[in-house]
Amino acid sequence: MAKKKEKSGCTPTGGDTGCCTCESVVSVDERGQMVLPKEVREKAGIKAGDKLAVISWQMGGKVCCISLIKADEMADMIKDFMGPMMAGMSKG
């Protein structure tokens, strides 16, 4: 029997419930800038110069949720998702 490839992707935190956790509350200044607290950056492994993709969800035409994903990890997710499709296309 073939072994399944083990995923090392990100999962919501919050114990047994699988619920997300509010890590902190930040303020946005008049220039639209905010600071991610040091503890959050350390937990997420975010360093100066890292690129973050800003992902938003809409409900009723309004943005209701904004998430940050490390750009390199997002690229890996896209490769994992698109790779098999692209390989299938090249065979046909």
Side-chain angles (χ1 to χ4, degrees):
M1 182 186 306
K3 279 190 174 180
K4 271 189 166 182
K5 182 181 174 187
E6 194 169 314
K7 298 269 184 186
S8 62
C10 187
T11 58
T13 59
D16 296 336
T17 63
C19 183
C20 297
T21 300
C22 179
E23 294 288 344
S24 66
V25 175
V26 297
S27 297
V28 179
D29 70 14
E30 51 282 336
R31 291 179 58 198
Q33 297 176 330
M34 64 184 111
V35 174
L36 289 176
K38 182 180 179 181
E39 299 80 27
V40 173
R41 293 191 316 268
E42 287 175 347
K43 270 173 103 171
I46 297 170
K47 298 172 199 75
D50 283 352
K51 303 282 187 207
L52 302 174
V54 179
I55 310 298
S56 65
W57 285 269
Q58 292 188 19
M59 186 180 297
K62 294 176 74 175
V63 172
C64 62
C65 184
I66 299 171
S67 294
L68 301 174
I69 300 175
K70 286 183 174 182
D72 57 345
E73 290 181 13
M74 188 169 133
D76 290 341
M77 287 184 235
I78 292 170
K79 286 179 198 169
D80 288 347
F81 178 74
M82 296 295 290
M85 269 196 276
M86 298 306 285
M89 291 174 72
S90 64
K91 290 179 185 175

